[in-house]
């Protein structure tokens, strides 16, 4: 009788290990597929931007943003696409989100905030952002300054 109890206990432990292993494997597989999907969406968004297909770029970056709204590179790329597609409110929201978290890494976001407020004819707010940008004293040879 004790051998049957040990066998049942061992079988129970094996089932637990098997279930945990399957869950872990599924999680790894899912995250790997998701990462591939994210890479593809990012690539498609960047390609659409290069081709000046801003509506498509917004579409791709929006899908990517819904998957990971904490990724600031995605937020900035989405903001750029939204700005170029004349989606001012979306662009303002995303630039502000990026600048609140890592503004020094994205100095052109400050400039674009000023431009977007200027487009909305909110000159007072635009002036504040342009003044912030001026105080950054960026080098004029930065690639962000050059026309694309």
């Amino acid at each position: 009788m004790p051998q049957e109890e040990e066998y049942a206990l061992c079988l129970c432990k094996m089932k637990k290990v098997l279930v945990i292993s399957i869950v872990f494997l599924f999680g790894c597989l899912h995250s790997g597929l998701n990462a591939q999907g994210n890479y593809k969406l990012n690539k498609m968004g960047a390609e659409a931007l290069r081709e000046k297909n801003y509506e498509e770029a917004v579409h791709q970056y929006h899908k990517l943003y819904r998957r990971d709204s904490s990724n600031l590179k995605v937020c900035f790329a989405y903001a750029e696409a939204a700005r170029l597609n004349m989606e001012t409110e979306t662009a303002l929201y995303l630039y502000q989100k990026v600048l609140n978290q890592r503004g020094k890494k994205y100095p052109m976001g400050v400039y674009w905030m000023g431009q977007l407020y200027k487009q909305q004819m909110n000159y007072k707010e635009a002036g504040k952002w342009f003044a912030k940008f001026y105080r950054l004293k960026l080098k004029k040879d930065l690639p962000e300054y050059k026309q694309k």
Side-chain angles (χ1 to χ4, degrees):
M1 199 75 162
Q3 287 180 345
E4 290 176 9
E5 288 177 10
E6 284 180 28
Y7 177 75
L9 184 62
C10 184
L11 190 58
C12 184
K13 286 181 182 179
M14 288 176 60
K15 284 181 182 178
K16 284 182 183 178
V17 168
L18 181 62
V19 168
I20 290 170
S21 298
I22 289 172
V23 169
F24 177 75
L25 183 63
F26 179 74
C28 290
L29 180 63
H30 176 70
S31 67
L33 290 174
N34 194 28
Q36 285 179 341
N38 290 353
Y39 175 78
K40 185 176 181 181
L41 287 173
N42 193 37
K43 186 176 177 183
M44 290 169 60
E47 186 175 318
L49 271 179
R50 270 192 307 280
E51 294 174 358
K52 298 184 181 187
N53 185 352
Y54 304 128
E55 188 175 345
E56 180 62 22
V58 166
H59 179 68
Q60 297 303 327
Y61 284 124
H62 178 72
K63 288 195 289 189
L64 193 53
Y65 178 79
R66 282 195 342 234
R67 288 184 180 186
D68 185 7
S69 63
S70 66
N71 184 329
L72 294 182
K73 287 182 181 180
V74 169
C75 290
F76 193 79
Y78 184 16
E80 294 281 276
R83 174 180 56 83
L84 293 166
N85 200 44
M86 305 307 266
E87 295 181 21
T88 305
E89 292 301 321
T90 301
L92 282 170
Y93 171 78
L94 292 164
Y95 281 129
Q96 187 67 60
K97 181 176 181 170
V98 169
L99 294 172
N100 285 344
Q101 293 180 35
R102 297 284 300 267
K104 290 184 179 183
K105 187 172 181 181
Y106 298 95
M108 289 306 292
V110 176
Y111 174 79
W112 291 121
M113 288 289 288
Q115 282 293 346
L116 291 167
Y117 279 117
K118 182 179 165 186
Q119 286 175 2
Q120 291 182 329
M121 292 187 276
N122 186 343
Y123 300 115
K124 186 176 181 179
E125 194 64 29
K128 291 177 186 177
W129 285 99
F130 287 135
K132 283 182 187 180
F133 183 72
Y134 178 74
R135 286 191 302 269
L136 292 175
K137 298 190 186 304
L138 299 175
K139 294 178 182 174
K140 300 290 188 229
D141 61 342
L142 288 175
E144 292 90 352
Y145 276 112
K146 296 180 181 172
Q147 292 290 333
K148 293 181 181 178

